[in-house]
Amino acid sequence: MAVTLHKQANCGFVMLNSPPVNAINQKMREDLIDAVTWAESEGLERVILSGMGRSFAAGADTKEFDHPAISPHLPDVVNRIETSTVPWIAAIHGTALGGGGELALGCQYRIARADATIGFPEVILGLVPGAGATQRLPRLVGLAEALKLIPTGKTISGKAAMAIGLVNAIDDDPVAAAKLIDQKILSEAVPLSLMKAGTDKTVSYDTARQLAIRRMRGQEAPLTAISLLETAQTATFDDGMQKERNAFLALRASPQARALRHIFFAERAAKKPPKAIETQKPTLKPLNHVIVIGGGTMGSGIAYAFLNANIRVTILESDDAGMQRANTAIDTIISASLASGHIDQQAATDRRNLLKVMMAQPDSDAGKRRNDDLTNVDLVIEAVFEDLAIKKEILQAIEPALDPNAIIATNTSYLDVNKLAACLDNPSRFVGLHFFAPAHIMKLLEIVKGSETSPVALAMGYAVAKSLGKMPVVAGVCDGFIGNRILAALREAADATLMDGSTPAEIDRAMVGFGYAMGPYETQDLSGLDIAHANRRRLDPSRDPSRRYIPIADCLVTENRLGKKTGAGWYHYPDENKTVDPTVEDIIRREAEAANIKRRHFSSDEIQQRLLLAMINEAANILHEGIATSAADIDLVLVHGYGFPRWRGGLMHYADQLGASLIMAELTKLCDEDPIFWQPSRLIVDCAKTRQNFASYNK
Ligand code: 3HC
Ligand code: NAI
């Protein structure tokens, strides 16, 4: 049974029972219809609807969305509840989301725990509510509040729901409270379908549309949701319901909804630790104290992420100036969090009290005191300059002072994790933890598994992700791991396109047109051209001399155009805003002339195609080499770390929509221009031959 029934005197108890979150599937819908009939035939006075386990109901079962809709449909279930001769009360704890919230809207009365989570997050899955929320919610809470919730997918607490009238009462025990409601209140309650949505002069649909376009760029569902709310105001309830249903079914089958569902399930799968951890079940102490070596851009962000999770942090810096910089950086983040209302004064003080900043060198006076602190450390993360020799020296110096069970990690962006591990007495305690800037905000955490990394070190990566609310993705060892290796391919393709005829602004516009919030050149200007430049110099000795090298970025660095921080990079920054800089175009033309290149125009489609093919090709190599465990992991890396549009489902999901045969054919054409760069990955060749998709590839 997906729904359990029992009665006590004249009160019926209907409990949704489909663990873990009571997703509403076809069986549950059937059972609910039967429950309405049961309550009526028993002549009950009231029915209390609640959820078993940790949730009221997390919404419709999204696993059904890949198949045709089967009856009974949820809007009919909600209708049946609403029009029943027996009044229903929703007793909400945990989450009442999407279809779960819609069931509650069909009831005559709603009681929630103050800490419940209520909302209609369908747009996050590329959908609109499909069981009446766009028509019932504005009738209940007014158009202005409904507009704040449905087109954004924002969820609110039970307490906030009470404040806007979404629920009638708050109680720690909603089921017990539901038993006590005056029968007169229930019998006089007007079903929402019989109410008018009314008008609200303060509501501007245009403003809501502008906001949706800005916040959820490229996505259809939020705009459709706004139109449906507009319909609630202008059409009858039945017409509104019909429009909602049509829109829901159309979106449910749309590429955007499929892509967003794919990411939703990939995210859930990624949080589950890999087999090595599951079979060995390594025991880890709870994370209490973390050392971060280097309190620069990354170190300070990483440190704050731990402080935010209530975990003690000691930052080790090389000198007084470094200590001062780290302290200031953390203070700046704390002040910004305070100013934005993310934390209050007490939380700011608590975070500050959990932090120590100390000298790294054990032989310095200040440094001598640190060893006491190192014995009780669970995890050390080094985040010093991207230099193998410096990192090795630091790791070797710290290992002897640590408890043998402490895990040691590196935040390196590119360096060989195995070489770093090899400098330790115990390389199995070493793992890569690649955070992204700003580390306290960006969700992605690449957990880099070296050849010696133990299950316990890997488990530490997952524990860190869980404590900090990050998205863990395991990567193997190679230059740049998953994300930066694909980024390098994107940049190489973009630079070649520049040299051959395009401009930074054209390339940025094309990628924004694809769905990125920012193009690759504007992004480089923000992060600084010096990092990529230093990386190119590191790769000089190993670069294949027959591979095409584009020197334009080097020319910019030579002219101290390091990006926004120096007022100029790929663009000019007379103030906060960028402007196109003719000097850059002169440099590009000059370099192209020197290389004897006859430049030509590239359309936006061509630019997108080149850059995306280059990324797909590199990603296919990464998958084939086993650096990424699955295509879905690559999708998560790109979506959570590199701004790939979520509604496209990630790079490999997008590649699967194109199909390996088409990708193969396009790469083969491009090989005429540059056979080395565009050489199709072995995986693409194989998938094109066997018609296998990337999502099902398992090494
Ligand atoms: N359908 C199917 N499965 C779902 C589900 C859903 N709506 N919601 C959660 N699950 C599954 C997850 O995939 C996961 O399965 P797994 O253990 O096999 O990986 C399991 O339930 C537990 O989920 P989480 O790991 O996400 O658990 P959390 O406690 O972290 O989060 C949650 C719980 C907040 C409910 C979160 O799962 C969530 O946001 N779910 C989606 C909510 C949603 O979008 N609802 C709207 C659905 S569309 C709809 O209702 C249409 C209607 O208008 C007609
Ligand atoms: P940074 O230059 O901002 O900070 C490095 C810090 O290390 C400095 O504060 C420096 O004083 C300190 N340091 C140097 N030697 C030290 C020593 N012996 N002991 C203690 N501290 C020492 O560098 P950033 O950008 O924070 O990078 C750090 C690491 O993180 C690098 O490996 C980098 O590749 C990686 N990374 C950087 C990202 C970025 O966007 N900046 C993103 C992801 C990873």
Side-chain angles (χ1 to χ4, degrees), residues 111-148:
I111 308 179
R113 280 182 58 96
D115 60 0
T117 303
I118 305 176
F120 304 91
E122 283 89 341
V123 291
I124 292 165
L125 290 172
L127 302 168
V128 288
T134 65
Q135 305 305 301
R136 286 194 178 86
L137 189 69
R139 286 170 162 83
L140 179 65
V141 301
L143 281 156
E145 294 300 338
L147 264 176
K148 283 186 211 158

Side-chain angles (χ1 to χ4, degrees), residues 292-300 302 315-319 321-323 325-326 358-361 382-387 390-391 393-394 410-415 433-438 484 527 531:
V292 178
I293 311 180
T297 309
M298 291 308 290
S300 53
I302 294 170
I315 294 181
L316 299 182
E317 256 295 345
S318 51
D319 53 24
M323 286 166 58
R325 268 199 315 274
M358 303 179 84
M359 194 75 92
Q361 281 76 21
E382 82 59 29
V384 302
F385 306 131
E386 188 74 338
D387 181 305
I390 296 180
K391 284 186 192 282
E393 194 182 307
I394 284 167
T410 174
N411 184 47
T412 180
S413 308
Y414 293 94
L415 300 177
L433 290 182
H434 186 209
F435 289 82
F436 290 75
N484 280 343
S527 51
I531 299 179

Side-chain angles (χ1 to χ4, degrees), residues 46 59 111 279 281 284 296 346 400 474 486 511 605 607 618 623:
R46 69 184 61 191
I111 308 179
T279 45
K281 295 203 185 340
L284 263 186
Q346 183 56 50
V474 173
I486 296 173
M511 296 316 275
D605 285 353
I607 293 170
E618 193 63 48
L623 192 53

Side-chain angles (χ1 to χ4, degrees), residues 287 289-294 302 306 312-316 370 373-384 391 394-403 405-411 424 429-433 435 457 460 464:
L287 256 179
H289 184 195
V290 176
I291 295 265
V292 178
I293 311 180
I302 294 170
F306 283 102
R312 188 152 75 89
V313 177
T314 304
I315 294 181
L316 299 182
R370 72 163 203 169
D373 255 59
L374 297 195
T375 48
N376 207 359
V377 166
D378 309 300
L379 169 68
V380 174
I381 303 175
E382 82 59 29
V384 302
K391 284 186 192 282
I394 284 167
L395 294 171
Q396 274 172 332
I398 201 150
E399 188 186 23
L402 298 171
D403 178 284
N405 293 319
I407 302 300
I408 308 179
T410 174
N411 184 47
L424 296 176
R429 56 156 57 178
F430 194 68
V431 65
L433 290 182
F435 289 82
M460 175 59 87
V464 166

Side-chain angles (χ1 to χ4, degrees), residues 20-21 23 54 58-63 65 74 95 97-99 102 121-122 125 127-131 248 264-265 268 272:
V21 291
R54 59 177 151 125
D61 186 342
T62 49
K63 292 195 187 87
F65 290 177
L74 193 56
T95 49
L97 300 176
E102 288 171 304
E122 283 89 341
L125 290 172
L127 302 168
V128 288
F248 171 77
F264 174 83
F265 286 114
R268 264 85 206 149
K272 297 193 176 119

Side-chain angles (χ1 to χ4, degrees), residues 1 4 19 39 62 82 117 191 208 241 261 370 384 441 476 503 596 598-599 635 687 693:
M1 284 288 272
T4 59
T62 49
E82 192 181 56
T117 303
M241 285 298 286
R261 277 202 295 281
R370 72 163 203 169
V384 302
I441 291 173
T503 67
N596 257 334
K598 197 161 175 298
R599 300 183 81 230
D635 292 336
C687 285
N693 62 17

